[in-house]
Amino acid sequence: MIDFRYHVVSVVAVFLALALGLFIGSTSLRGPVGSIITNQTEQVVGKNKQLRDEVGALQNDVRDEQRFETAAEPYIVGNALAGQSVVVVSAPGVDGGTRSDLVKALTAAGATVTGDVRLQDALLDPEQRTFLETLSARLSVPGHTVSSGTGPQRAMTLLADVLGTRPQGTPVPAAAAARVLSGFADGNLLSVNGGVAHSASLAVLLAPPPPSTTADPKVVEAQDALLLDLARDLDRTAVGAVVVGPVAAADTGLLKAARGDKDFTTDVSTVDGVDLPRGLIASVLALAEQAKGGVGGYGMRSGSRAPLPSPSPS
């Protein structure tokens, strides 16, 4: 019979054999394996440096292109909007620098910016439905039929009524328009930079960056729908309207929603990349095209028709 001592000796012998094998194997393979690992590491380091250099070169190219576009902007847009009035409406969350650059581009193109209207989160809050319905009824403009729809939809229609105008149309009296904007401002629904905004023949709705990934998709969809309602209403009350936004908004934001609505894009133009010089140029030219009855989607992202509107025949 095999006793316990035999088992112990057998186990010890097995482990000694394993240890001896590992020692011999590591000793005999240390040179070749180490050399292979060293060579592979050097190759990876070299490749990473090459890729970093390529990325740096591409970033420099992009910066050079943007500097060129910025320098060329006055020559491209010229007086494209000379004699035109434009009201700028910003959705909640819009970058202040982007808005400022847009206003400067419009002014440089000869436009008169009649208002810088900044919508607040409360205007798109689903909980404000009843309040907006009551407010819209109280601030209704004489001679303008109160629109059907929900409280938020009526609010958007009322805003468009006082912000848009057509050359042959009858604009909302200045006092009535001021009362509407003041009422919305008092309700923390919007603010007007400089305190005063007047109606304009062209309107641009500035879209924000995409919403947070934690935002409720249903709420985001409803808010986008309201903003698109406002853009439609502005296109109705003014000569034309354009929705512009940063590059990212064309992929997962308001611009994507706008471009996905064929009925919307039949009347309202869209521009992506307004956070870049090329987008500012496209925004100015898209507004000029709207003033002449044209429409299109411009930029470099999905849903755009071309980088810029086609030049008008000379």
Side-chain angles (χ1 to χ4, degrees), residues 258-270 295-297 303:
R259 288 174 169 175
D261 186 334
K262 292 183 179 180
D263 291 335
F264 181 87
T265 55
T266 299
D267 300 313
V268 182
S269 296
T270 60
V295 62

Side-chain angles (χ1 to χ4, degrees), residues 13 43 57 61 72 74 97 99 105 112-113 137 143 149 167 190 237 255 272 277 287 310:
Q43 290 175 6
D61 288 344
R99 175 172 48 233
T112 298
V113 178
L190 58 76
T237 60
L255 275 179
D272 65 66
L287 281 167
S310 300

Side-chain angles (χ1 to χ4, degrees), residues 134-213:
T134 302
L135 182 68
S136 299
R138 181 167 63 84
L139 297 176
S140 60
V141 177
H144 287 250
T145 304
V146 177
S147 65
S148 58
T150 65
Q153 289 172 332
R154 293 183 183 183
M156 296 303 179
T157 299
L158 184 57
L159 277 179
D161 284 342
V162 302
L163 293 177
T165 187
R166 289 175 175 268
Q168 283 73 39
T170 302
V172 173
R179 185 170 65 90
V180 170
L181 294 175
S182 177
F184 275 68
D186 290 343
N188 296 317
L189 304 174
L190 58 76
S191 64
V192 179
N193 186 37
V196 179
H198 301 289
S199 59
S201 59
L202 295 170
V204 55
L205 175 60
L206 186 51
S212 166
T213 54

Side-chain angles (χ1 to χ4, degrees), residues 57 84 88 93 106 121 145 171 193 195 204 241 254 291:
Q84 299 290 344
V88 177
L106 296 173
D121 290 322
T145 304
N193 186 37
V204 55
L254 181 63

